[in-house]
Each structure stands twice: as C-alpha cells, then as structure tokens.
Amino acid sequence: MQTEYDPEFVELKWQEIWQQRQLFRVEEDPEKEKYYLLEMFPYPSGNIHMGHVRNYTIGDVVARYKRMRGANVLHPMGWDAFGMPAENAAIAHQVHPARWTYENIDTMRSQLKRLGFSYDWDRELATCQPEYYRWEQWLFVKMFEKGMVYRKKSSVNWCETCQTVLANEQVEAGLCWRCGEVVTQRDLDQWFFRITDFADDLLEYCDRLAGWPGKVVTMQKNWIGKSLGAEIRFPLENSDGHIPVFTTRQDTVFGATFMCMAPEHPLVMELAAGTEQEDAVRAFVERMRLQDKAKRTSDDYEKEGVFVGAYCVNPFTKRRMPIFTANFALMEYGTGAVMAVPAHDQRDFEFARKYGLDIIVVIQPKGETLDPQTMTEAYVEDGVLVRSGSFDGTENVKALDAIADYLEEKGLGKRAVSYRLRDWGISRQRYWGAPIPIVYCDDCGVVPVPEEELPVILPEDAEMLEGGKSPLLSLESFAKTRCPGCGNPHARRETDTMDTFVESSWYFERFCSPRHGKGMFDERAVAYWMPVDQYIGGIEHAILHLLYSRYFTRVLKEFGLVDYQEPFTRLLTQGMVCKETIKCPDHGLLYPEEVITKDGLKTCEHCGSPVEIGRIEKMSKSKKNVVDPNALIDKYGADTLRLFCLFAAPPERDLDWSDQGVEGAYRFLNRVWRLVGDHVDRLQGVKPFDGGKDLAGDSRTLYRKIHQTIKRVTNDIETRFHFNTAISAVMELVNTIQAVKERLLFEPAGPSVLRSALETVVVLISPIVPHLADELWEALGQSGSVLEVSWPAYSEDAIEEDQILIVIQVNGKVRSRFQIAADADEDMIKDTALADERVVARLQGRPVKKIIVVRNKLVNIVV
C-alpha cells in the first residue's frame, strides 16, 4: 500500500480489474431477486456535465448497495442519440450528425467509465442504430394496422430555427424547448399516436404510483386534465350547422351572451368568408399564430378578439349571440369554442366590458342581488339560479346534473368528458431521426412498409442542407421507392422522421435484451427484469418522457408483449447542480477559471477588475457558472467528486457547488487512507471480532459504534436515499476510531475490534467511493472487490447502551432511583436527577445549593 493517496493510480488500477473480471455483467437468474436500476440515458452532447455526474453517482450507489444486499442488479447505459439536440449541435459545428453523434458517444463513454460507474457495458445501445429503431418501426406498422396511428392535416407548433414540428409539451412559454426561439403555427399533414384512447387509464393509474414524488404525479394528472361537463350545441343563424361547445358550467348556460372561438378553429375563416369582417379576422388569426398560447390564456394577459361577422343562437334562451374569435380560446381545450358567460367568468367579463357586450346574471348569491351595471368582476361562487327558466331557485351545483339531463332529453347536447391531453403528433421535418415506415402510392394510397423490408434505414451519408432542412425529401435514393402493395416503381417514402421521444419511450425494455434480433425484446427477459425498480432523472421530464413511456407500455401490453401496466415502480427526481455566477464590468460573465483570487479579492484575469458575485443558479454554459468534471477528476480523483456530490445535499434537493466542499471530501478520503495505512502492518494476522466474548472499555464503545453506524447507513440508503447523512455516520465512526485506536491495542479484544471497525468503514463507503474501498480492502489482506462482499448486518444487542442504576439522595437521604446509559456524562446525570418526579415533589421549589455526583453510583442533592 502506498504511503500517499494517489487517486489516479488507484482508480485506473481498479477500473482495469473490474473490466477484466467483467464484474458488472449480469444475466437473468430466477434464483435471485432482481433489481433494475436505471438513470435516464443522456443524449450524446460531447461531454458530461456535473448534472450527469450527480445523477449517475446516485444511481451507482444504489446499484452497488443492492448488489451487496444480494440482489441481481441490472444497471445499463445507452444513448438517446436521435433528435434535434444532436442535429442542431452538428450543424453548428459543421459536421455530419452521424459523425458528431458517434464521436461524442465514444467521448462520453470514456468519461463515464473514468467515474467508475458499475454499468453492464455489454448492454450498451444507441437509438440511432438501425437494429434499435427497426423495432419501433415494426411497432408503428402494427399500430397503424390496428388504427392506433393516423394521419391528418393539423395546425402544428412550428420552430423555424429547428425546422420542425413540436409537440405541445415541447413548447415552453411560447418558445422551442431546445433552441428557445418563438414557436409559430402551421398547417401540415402529420402522423399521430392515439394516446387519448388511454387517457382514463393513464389518469387512473396516477393514484397507484406510490413510489413517485407527489409533485410529479400531480403534473401528470394536470397534463391529462380530465374535466367532467356537457357538450351543448349552439345552432348557427341562417344555417343548418351548429357549434358544439364543451363546458363544465352548464349551470350558467342561460347567461351565455356571445361565443368565442379559437383563432385556429377551422370554422373561423369559413364564417368570416364574404363578410365585411373577413380581412380583420384573417389579420387577427395570423397575428395569433405568432403569439404564445400559454400567455394568451394567462389571467394577466389582455383579452382581445374580433367579431367574425356571424351569429349563433343560445338553445335555451333563443338569444342571438355574436361570434368572436378570441385570444384566450384554444383548440387544445374542449372543442375550441367557448360559450361566454360574462357575469360568471372573469375572462368573459373582461372581454364583454372591453367590447360592450351584454352581461346577464344567472346566479345570485344568497341574500344579495347582483347588478350587471355595477359589477366590477365576475361572480364565480355558488348561489341560486335566476333568469334560468324552470331552473330558477335551484342551487347552481344541483342544477349541473338537472341541466345535463335536460340537454339529453331535448336533444340539445349531452354529458361529456374533455381532456387537456391531445393525441401525440410524432412527425418531425428533420433528418436525424428514425424514418416513418410509410410509402405513398398513387394507386394504393398510404401503404405501411412490410415487416420483411424493415428497417427503413436512414441514409447516414446524406449531405446536410443549409438552415437545417431535411435532405430526405430531395434525396431520390431514399424518397423514391417501389410500392409494397402493387409494385409501382414511382412510389414515395414518407420523409418525416419520428419524434425522438418515441425512442426514449421503450429503451428500458430493450436494455433487458439489447442484442435480441427476433423482436423488440426477449419477452422472457422483460418478464424477469421489468418493471424498472428505481428510475432516476430530472424533474424536467415529469410530463414529456414519463407520460409517453407510460403510454408506450400500454401499447405494448395491448399487443401482448408485456403483462405490466406501469414501467417504473419508483421514481427519484434529483435536484439541480447550482453555482453562483461571476461577472466582470468589462468582460461580462466569466467562467470560474477566468477569476483570480488573491488576498481574498476576486478579480478578472483579463483586466484585473474586481468581479461581481451573482446569485446562485443552475449550472449552464450560457451563465458560464459551470465546473468541468474532467478537471476535477484530474486534480482530486473520481471518488472525491462522487463523495462531494452525495454529501453536499440530499438527492432530491438542489446542490450548491462549493470548492471548499470538494477540498473537504478529498481531505476525508486522505484521512481514511492514512487511518487504514497506519494499521495495516499492526493488524496482519488479526481476525475481525466475531462477537464471541464480552467486551469492556474502548473495545465495547467502538463495537457499539460499529453496529450503530451500520444501522444508520443501511436505513439512510434503503429507505430515504439520504447519502449525506449516511456519509456523516461513517465520518463519526472514523472519529471514534481515531479517538480510541491507540488504547485499543492494549485491550484483549482491541485489535480484533479495530480490524472490524476499519473493514466496516471500507465496506460502508464502497458504494460511494468504490476505487478507494477496493484498494483499502486489498491492503487489509482481503481478496476481490468489496462489491462481492455481503452488506454487513447490525446487531440490536450490540447497539443497546449499557444501563446503570443511579440512586438519588436529597440531603443525604435516598428519595428515588433511575436507569441511565453507562457512558452518560455528569451533566446528563444531574439533569435526569433534578427532573425526577419524586425529587421535584421533595424540593418544593427550594433552591439547590450543590449537587454531588458519585460516578456510576449516586447523586446527592443539597438544599
């Protein structure tokens, strides 16, 4: 064993040993309990960042711990390689996406291996490989044949910068979730998955996700957005047509005075056609296409609209209602049309006041009379119906069912359920994605590619076009094909590619048998490993990825490929890694390495000006508040980085970066190194204490601390993933060893207990700092890796504190007795004696002059 701790030497040595022994390779074993640990796989951006390090370190600790507990652990890694992120980055660097992706995979694989993560690299996969996406093309065809996929012209979210369609979930505050540019609307033919067919099931099972964070479950529920209400048909004036409206407030229908339709609604321009309003309506619709939908519906956004030049009729009151197109009406909710009841909806109220529209009160609060002329806001509370025909005097809540019954009885509408969730549009007008396996033939129409012709391979030698446009449309060698149905040689392939979320919606199943060539996966392997026992990833995926994965699992079950409903049993959403920003008055934001610290003053290395320390924010390249993991590994080693990431904060909370914290983690590892190194020679030939004899003195104290620590660390990892408190417990054990180590050598069982303590430290920290642990394990004369050692058990008997009986005297006379731990200090003994009920009664509030403690025997209170 080297005198000085050399992390690079130690880590490279053990990583090579692990690889040679294939220590992390795993197969199905029916005799063992399985444990599937998975972190959300990364897209190959080129370099890992501190968020990766934290996420994967958390997962690695759990995987190693579970294996030491006897589980058969599956812990794979792969690459979410398709999609806009890789393509945009490749275009920015003027290289082909395929080359960019594969080179980055090689780089990131090396970085992850350098951190010592226990991945079964034999299971590595990349979603851009034909042997992977072949099977999602196969599933697409099966879904197409069963009517679970369809194509239609749709108003879609379009990002001009990325040159592609975005799902609703990929638009954040009106901006593209990837490039941050404004999203507009376009009408395009798109392919859709019928995720809404599973809306009820997805919602119902939200309440069964007991192992998920409550906030994530709530986000899933809100996105599905189930609303119970009614669909009411409003006849168009001078037409046989009608406008269907979904509402949850059918109790207010008698107060509907105008209609609002989403600018995207297909009827808007149809109704405006040929009227004096046509030009104004068209201009408004075009302007709304450029606006952020989220802002349009926010409470503080100004409500605006345009009269379309047409009217409909309230089926209950026969009132003529002007039809507007309004910014707050969305096609994504209900039918895209809103019956406006300004007296009882604040948005409608503001709109009516702005455009001088009628306000009719139909719900009066008990004991009050609302006047539309003097109202300053809509009345949205419960009350009694008025001006509502035969429903007058009915409590509005009770009227909901009564009016729904009336609708159905009179043929005016029906009870209905609406969802915020919309079918999943998967078409992307980009090159770097899985081709959609569809052929268009003038004679046969839309034809799926036969199974024997799959995969439809993305040509990786295609030349990229300026501006990010897909080359597939003009690449004749790809686009031109033979019709699988009739043999027409002039058929055309679908040139859109699939949304990258399709790839990430089933990769966890593929990991179970990544080389399986006869189907999406080996069903026996999936039956053994799935569902994932512990999934780990960022909160930013709470809606997109998780919802699609849950949906895809249901599709697989529909085809009899799996027998479970939910893919992830437990979910951990780790916090972000954060750091303060640093700004120079002349050079703007600075990277940490651009700052010079001297005599406590931080200055810019470029100009020498004092820098301003900003607020702590999520690490990002744009803020320049990033730390390079590679530089830290070179300086301190991977184990130090792993230790700091786990010790600085519980995993679900944000981690505030601290250079001092990293230094502290490194010092602790050096301390453990020296502690073991100082005793290696002394303990040669000494076996660990087997508990076969009574202990006394420091030996007993340390033995108790060993078992207390095992219990704390086990509970912290097993039940809470609170690695920070587990590490604290080990640090306390190290402190105890330091305090008693010299005296132990003079006690009969002292050396054996000391060996037990040192081995316990090594074993308990091994999931966290595995390289250091294996090196110290070897130094202590053990063979193999600590990963192959069983996790230690603790003894409740050993943990129990020794109790002694203390007699309490008051002025020399015995008044009571109590039990207390043998190692309790004098202050604890005094406080316990003074709190005794009998003593309190005897003293009767008299002041105590003196307390005499005879250790391990008595307390004499003098008054």
Side-chain angles (χ1 to χ4, degrees), residues 186-482:
R186 277 196 181 182
D187 292 330
L188 293 175
D189 286 323
Q190 298 286 291
W191 285 99
F192 290 85
F193 285 160
R194 295 186 188 275
I195 189 174
T196 54
D197 286 353
F198 295 87
D200 268 330
D201 192 64
L202 288 165
L203 184 62
E204 178 188 343
Y205 270 76
C206 282
D207 291 327
R208 305 187 193 185
L209 300 173
W212 287 36
K215 62 182 178 181
V216 175
V217 173
T218 298
M219 293 167 77
Q220 292 263 309
K221 287 182 176 180
N222 290 343
W223 192 260
I224 296 168
K226 183 176 182 178
S227 299
L228 300 178
E231 183 180 290
I232 305 175
R233 293 189 288 273
F234 286 75
L236 287 166
E237 187 179 63
N238 302 320
S239 169
D240 294 333
H242 65 269
I243 300 174
V245 170
F246 173 80
T247 179
T248 60
R249 293 298 309 274
Q250 60 267 28
D251 54 324
T252 65
V253 65
F254 286 86
T257 59
F258 59 97
M259 177 74 68
C260 287
M261 302 182 73
E264 303 84 5
H265 200 295
L267 270 180
V268 168
M269 291 310 304
E270 183 180 325
L271 293 173
T275 72
E276 295 179 353
Q277 293 295 108
E278 183 175 2
D279 290 342
V281 171
R282 179 175 289 105
F284 180 80
V285 168
E286 290 302 317
R287 183 159 59 88
M288 289 302 104
R289 285 178 180 269
L290 301 176
Q291 287 196 0
D292 176 3
K293 289 184 180 180
K295 287 184 178 178
R296 278 168 49 185
T297 57
S298 65
D299 291 339
D300 57 353
Y301 202 69
E302 183 181 1
K303 312 302 179 288
E304 59 175 324
V306 173
F307 174 53
V308 303
Y311 294 84
C312 62
V313 177
N314 187 320
F316 283 77
T317 64
K318 307 305 179 185
R319 182 186 183 88
R320 189 179 190 227
M321 296 169 52
I323 303 172
F324 286 77
T325 178
N327 62 347
F328 61 85
L330 299 178
M331 281 303 297
E332 285 73 27
Y333 183 77
T335 63
V338 177
M339 68 170 200
V341 185
H344 305 292
D345 182 277
Q346 187 60 30
R347 291 181 308 179
D348 299 347
F349 181 87
E350 293 172 16
F351 195 91
R353 283 281 191 250
K354 181 173 183 176
Y355 294 103
L357 300 168
D358 290 344
I359 299 175
I360 299 175
V361 174
V362 293
I363 299 177
Q364 291 282 13
K366 293 181 180 179
E368 296 181 45
T369 301
L370 298 175
D371 182 356
Q373 303 302 319
T374 59
M375 290 174 68
T376 58
E377 62 182 2
Y379 178 72
V380 296
E381 305 301 326
D382 292 336
V384 176
L385 293 189
V386 296
R387 302 180 186 87
S388 298
S390 61
F391 300 100
D392 279 358
T394 306
E395 293 180 11
N396 72 295
V397 175
K398 295 180 179 178
L400 288 168
D401 280 336
I403 291 177
D405 290 339
Y406 184 85
L407 279 170
E408 295 179 334
E409 179 185 333
K410 299 297 183 182
L412 303 176
K414 60 183 179 180
R415 282 181 167 80
V417 178
S418 180
Y419 297 90
R420 181 187 179 195
L421 181 68
R422 288 292 183 261
D423 282 340
W424 177 9
I426 65 155
S427 296
R428 297 294 178 267
Q429 290 66 47
R430 295 300 292 254
Y431 158 71
W432 193 238
I436 296 174
I438 289 292
V439 171
Y440 301 105
C441 174
D442 290 340
D443 299 321
C444 301
V446 178
V447 184
V449 175
E451 181 177 344
E452 60 271 15
E453 295 183 18
L454 297 176
V456 176
I457 296 179
L458 182 74
E460 292 191 0
D461 57 350
E463 292 186 12
M464 302 305 295
L465 302 180
E466 187 176 349
K469 294 182 180 178
S470 172
L472 297 180
L473 189 63
S474 57
L475 188 65
E476 285 295 299
S477 60
F478 175 82
K480 186 177 179 181
T481 189
R482 176 187 57 80

Side-chain angles (χ1 to χ4, degrees), residues 132-179:
Y132 181 85
Y133 64 75
R134 167 191 180 181
W135 296 109
E136 68 189 49
Q137 291 177 342
W138 174 86
L139 186 65
F140 180 99
V141 171
K142 294 299 180 184
M143 294 171 68
F144 177 85
E145 292 170 348
K146 199 170 181 178
M148 301 171 78
V149 181
Y150 64 95
R151 185 172 183 253
K152 71 170 183 177
K153 188 174 289 292
S154 174
S155 177
V156 295
N157 304 305
W158 176 261
C159 176
E160 185 65 27
T161 303
C162 295
Q163 287 286 300
T164 194
V165 168
L166 302 175
N168 292 332
E169 297 90 335
Q170 293 168 317
V171 180
E172 300 174 348
L175 306 178
C176 173
W177 74 302
R178 277 300 180 189
C179 72

